[in-house]
Each structure stands twice: as C-alpha cells, then as structure tokens.
Amino acid sequence: MMVLPLKQVLQEMAAEKLSLLLTILAVAWSALSIATILSIGEGLRQGIIRTSTSGNGNLIYLSGGYAQQSHGAVIQGTRLKLKPEDVELIRALPGVDHAEVTAVWDKRVRYENRRAWRTPIAVSPGYQRLTGLKVLPGGRWFNPLDQAERRKVIILGYSAAVGLFNASRHWSWVDAGKLETDPVGLQVKVGEEDFTVIGVLSKTSAQLEQGVPADYSIFMPFATWQQFNPGEPVSAIDILPATGAGRERLASTARQVISRKYGAAVDDPQFVQIKDILLEQKTMRRFLLGLQAFLGIIGLITLTVAGIGIANVMFAAVRRSTRDIGVRMAVGATPTAIRVHYFVQALLTMAIGGGLGLLLTMAVITGIRHLPLDGNMLFNELGQPLPELSWPIVSLVILALALVGMAAAWFPASKAASVMPLAALQSE
C-alpha cells in the first residue's frame, strides 16, 4: 500500500508561504462568493414561493370576458355577466375542492379624513378557506350570521388599517408602518354607509384578486354587497382544485360549462376568462432557478481564477523540487505516486480555503438574518427572503472546490510525473 508523504507535502506548501497564503485567500473569497450568492438566491426563491403559494397562489380564477365570435343568441362583443348562482355549477364539477364568488364594490373606504386606496372585495365566509388569510387576535373573520343578516361589517388588510387609523402616516418603501390603534369595533365609511371593523389581517405578502396585495385589501360580506347592488354581476369565481386534480382539464371543463349555460361557443377563449395562478407562477420559479444558476456560474468563474493561482503555485513548487522528484523516482517512486502527491497538495489548499470561505459565509448569513428587516415593505412583499445556506448548497460548493482543485493540479502533477530521474538529478 502506498503511503503518502504528507509531511513532505506540508513542507513544500510551507516553502511557498506568501504565494500559498494569497491563493488560500483567493479560494476562500471564491467559496464565500459562490455560497453567499447561492444562499441569497435560494432565500429569494423560497420567499417568492411562499408569496406565490399563499393567498390566490393555488387557485383558478374565472371571470367574464367578451365573446370573440357569434354563436346562437350570443353575438360578437357580448359581455359575460357572471351570476352568483354560477358558483354552484363549478362546485358540482369533479376535481373541485371548493369555489367562491367575489365582487368588487366601487366605493371608497374612509376614516375621518383618511382614505384607503383599494375598494372593498365582497366575499363569503368560505373565502378564508380558499386563501388561508389569518386575522390578528382580537378580531375575527366573517361568520354565517354576517352573511345571513347582511351585516355592515368589514375586515381590513394590515397596511390598509395602518393607512386609515394611524394619525401620522408617511408612506415609505423602507417602513411599512406599525398599526398604532386597534381598529376593531370602530366604524368606517364605505361610500356613505357606516361599517364596523371586526378584524385586521395578519401581515402577509400574499396576493388576491388580480394581483391585489392582501395587506391592502378590504373585505365585506358578499350578501351585504348584494343588498346594495341587487342584480349586479359578480367579478369572478375563485376555484380551488382538489388534490391531484388535473388543473388544465378542470379549467377547460369550467369554461365549457359556463359557456354552455350562457349559449356561447365552448371554444371561444375570450368569453370565459380563465387564469390558473399556480401554472403561471411555474414560469417565475423556472426564471428564479435560472437566475440562481447564472449567479452560481459567476461564482464558479471566480473560483476558476483562484484555481489558476493554485496551478501557478504548484508549477513553481515543481520547478523548485525537480531534483527532489528525481531522487524519489530514482529510489522507486512511481509517476502515479508523484502525481498523487501534487493532487493532495492542491486538494489540501482547496480544503483550507474552502473551509475558511464557508465559515465566513455562515458569519455573513447570520449577520444578515439578524438585520432589523421586519417591517421593510420590499422585504415583506418578497416573502421575507432570508439567505439559506442549505446542505445542497454546501455540497455543491464542496464539489466545485474539488473539481477546480483537481483541474488546477492536473498539469503541474503531470509535469512532475514526467520528470526523468537522470535529468532531474543533473539539474541545479
């Protein structure tokens, strides 16, 4: 069994102190760059996934459009006006877990001299099940009595409540604001009607109807909206597919059912508008993976430059140790043993630099995680994307270090293994 002369490897490394130190620092910087970039990219990807899968992220959004072609009594350009009872047709379809209608009331919400910038969305109690929205302690979501008695009650998104009830409010991208007053039980004006606030939503980066941030949304009971808007069409039907249901097939079936009910052509793509939020977000997720790969390639280029530094240090070591190599080969060392000697030297350099780089990465990520980012509007909108130094990222960095180290050692090791003993012993 061949025993590696580790002591001699360390002695040769010590002989190149300055060059080796600079190379180790370059490797550490490269490892720090790759690991930090990938960790930040992974945190951003996970944050956006959290944002996209909450709220309407798993829903199919069905709304009315305009007929693109004439069919029967429906002429081209006819607008589809969805009715509340249409949701029962959707709920009866196989593959549907739940469905709810929503409507938008074109009235502004005011408190004293302050106004919300979003108009109320009329929803049923089951809407919470669709979106997973949570109400802060002290408040509540709509219940069946609110619906049955058509109560004039309202629920505010967190930022909507801040805008209405904080006496001094300066809008900022950096500071989303903290609610200074508990608005539960207070009254606001919706148009000219008085509504009582029964709840405030927890802070969330979720989006709802047509991409409206849940933090700025305002909700009222659907039956109350109907009382003030009798006979008006609803805005949309939100559909939650059952687990394992084919989403594309379900969307197509829903379009056909609604089209047939209103006498339109079932192949008209514009009469019934279908938007599958989850399928649309897969494109964004692929983009984020591509971005993460691109950032990783940039870090790998930096690591390659460090690998060139390792190769230069090893070439210098080979030139300086040519006579020693000749002596070792003259007493029986094989070219393979010489080659392995320099491979070990390169990998040891990579291990020291890479280990230092990963330790620095952990320190950087820990520092970022302790920054006071909570309350930052952009940070919250992106799903609070904290860097994540996961084991797959660590494994990827170690693999990259090993591959670059092997590549950097190949030519110096091959040059050392090709030394002829007689010529080496005659060299100065």
Side-chain angles (χ1 to χ4, degrees), residues 326-396:
V327 171
R328 291 176 58 194
M329 297 186 73
V331 297
T334 63
T336 299
I338 300 298
R339 186 176 287 111
V340 169
H341 173 93
Y342 287 98
F343 273 126
V344 170
Q345 184 174 328
L347 292 177
L348 191 56
T349 303
M350 277 292 187
I352 296 172
L356 178 60
L358 288 174
L359 288 175
L360 290 173
T361 302
M362 292 175 64
V364 169
I365 289 176
T366 301
I368 293 175
R369 283 180 169 271
H370 283 84
L371 290 175
L373 295 173
D374 190 26
N376 183 288
M377 184 177 295
L378 182 59
F379 178 69
N380 291 335
E381 288 296 323
L382 292 175
Q384 300 182 337
L386 293 171
E388 297 184 16
L389 185 61
S390 60
W391 279 111
I393 291 177
V394 173
S395 302
L396 186 62

Side-chain angles (χ1 to χ4, degrees), residues 31-50 288-289 291-293 295-296 360-362 364-369 371 373 379 382-390 393-394 397:
L32 171 64
S33 301
I34 295 177
T36 303
I37 287 173
L38 291 178
S39 297
I40 291 174
E42 178 65 14
L44 180 62
R45 189 177 71 88
Q46 293 295 338
I48 292 179
I49 287 176
R50 281 193 295 271
L288 291 173
L289 284 174
L291 177 62
Q292 202 171 2
L295 295 175
L360 290 173
T361 302
M362 292 175 64
V364 169
I365 289 176
T366 301
I368 293 175
R369 283 180 169 271
L371 290 175
L373 295 173
F379 178 69
L382 292 175
Q384 300 182 337
L386 293 171
E388 297 184 16
L389 185 61
S390 60
I393 291 177
V394 173
V397 172

Side-chain angles (χ1 to χ4, degrees), residues 2-313:
M2 177 181 64
V3 179
L4 293 177
L6 185 58
K7 183 177 180 180
Q8 187 174 358
V9 170
L10 296 175
Q11 288 175 344
E12 289 188 7
M13 293 175 68
E16 303 287 342
K17 291 185 182 69
L18 181 59
S19 299
L20 185 65
L21 177 61
L22 293 176
T23 302
I24 288 175
L25 291 177
V27 173
W29 173 255
S30 303
L32 171 64
S33 301
I34 295 177
T36 303
I37 287 173
L38 291 178
S39 297
I40 291 174
E42 178 65 14
L44 180 62
R45 189 177 71 88
Q46 293 295 338
I48 292 179
I49 287 176
R50 281 193 295 271
T51 298
S52 62
T53 53
S54 58
N56 66 351
N58 196 35
L59 303 181
I60 296 175
Y61 185 79
L62 186 151
S63 59
Y66 293 86
Q68 194 176 41
Q69 54 187 288
S70 298
H71 182 85
V74 177
I75 62 173
Q76 185 178 5
T78 300
R79 177 191 170 195
L80 170 58
K81 297 181 179 180
L82 292 170
K83 298 178 181 179
E85 57 268 24
D86 292 340
V87 72
E88 299 301 332
L89 294 174
I90 300 300
R91 288 172 178 168
L93 295 177
V96 173
D97 182 281
H98 194 61
E100 293 287 350
V101 291
T102 62
V104 176
W105 195 12
D106 190 20
K107 298 289 183 181
R108 290 293 179 182
V109 178
R110 306 190 316 275
Y111 180 75
E112 295 180 349
N113 62 342
R114 295 181 289 276
R115 298 174 61 184
W117 68 282
R118 299 301 311 183
T119 54
I121 302 172
V123 298
S124 300
Y127 188 78
Q128 187 180 32
R129 175 185 170 190
L130 289 179
T131 57
L133 297 175
K134 296 180 181 179
V135 179
L136 289 174
R140 64 175 179 85
W141 186 256
F142 302 122
N143 60 37
L145 281 178
D146 296 325
Q147 187 83 345
E149 298 179 3
R150 300 182 178 183
R151 292 173 177 172
K152 294 195 291 184
V153 291
I154 203 165
I155 296 173
L156 304 173
Y158 191 89
S159 295
V162 169
L164 285 171
F165 291 97
N166 281 13
S168 58
R169 172 64 179 147
H170 300 286
W171 190 87
S172 170
W173 277 104
V174 177
D175 182 14
K178 184 176 181 180
L179 189 59
E180 300 170 354
T181 304
D182 183 4
V184 175
L186 300 180
Q187 289 193 331
V188 297
K189 288 281 190 181
V190 181
E192 298 302 321
E193 299 291 332
D194 290 323
F195 276 68
T196 301
V197 179
I198 62 170
V200 176
L201 297 181
S202 301
K203 286 184 179 180
T204 177
S205 58
Q207 295 184 343
L208 302 174
E209 309 294 302
Q210 299 285 25
V212 176
D215 263 5
Y216 289 92
S217 297
I218 301 172
F219 303 95
M220 62 181 295
F222 184 78
T224 307
W225 173 84
Q226 285 182 302
Q227 181 181 4
F228 290 102
N229 300 271
E232 288 293 311
V234 300
S235 301
I237 300 175
D238 290 324
I239 307 168
L240 177 64
T243 303
R247 301 181 68 92
E248 293 182 356
R249 181 176 179 181
L250 175 57
S252 176
T253 303
R255 171 181 278 122
Q256 291 177 23
V257 166
I258 299 299
S259 295
R260 285 196 178 100
K261 177 189 174 182
Y262 288 92
V266 295
D267 58 348
D268 189 335
Q270 299 299 320
F271 188 65
V272 180
Q273 300 282 328
I274 296 284
K275 185 177 181 180
D276 192 325
I277 310 298
L278 183 64
L279 294 182
E280 288 186 356
Q281 289 164 356
K282 288 185 177 180
T283 302
M284 173 59 73
R285 296 182 191 183
R286 286 194 290 267
F287 167 76
L288 291 173
L289 284 174
L291 177 62
Q292 202 171 2
F294 174 72
L295 295 175
I297 290 172
I298 293 176
L300 187 59
I301 292 173
T302 306
L303 184 59
T304 302
V305 173
I308 294 174
I310 291 177
N312 289 333
V313 171

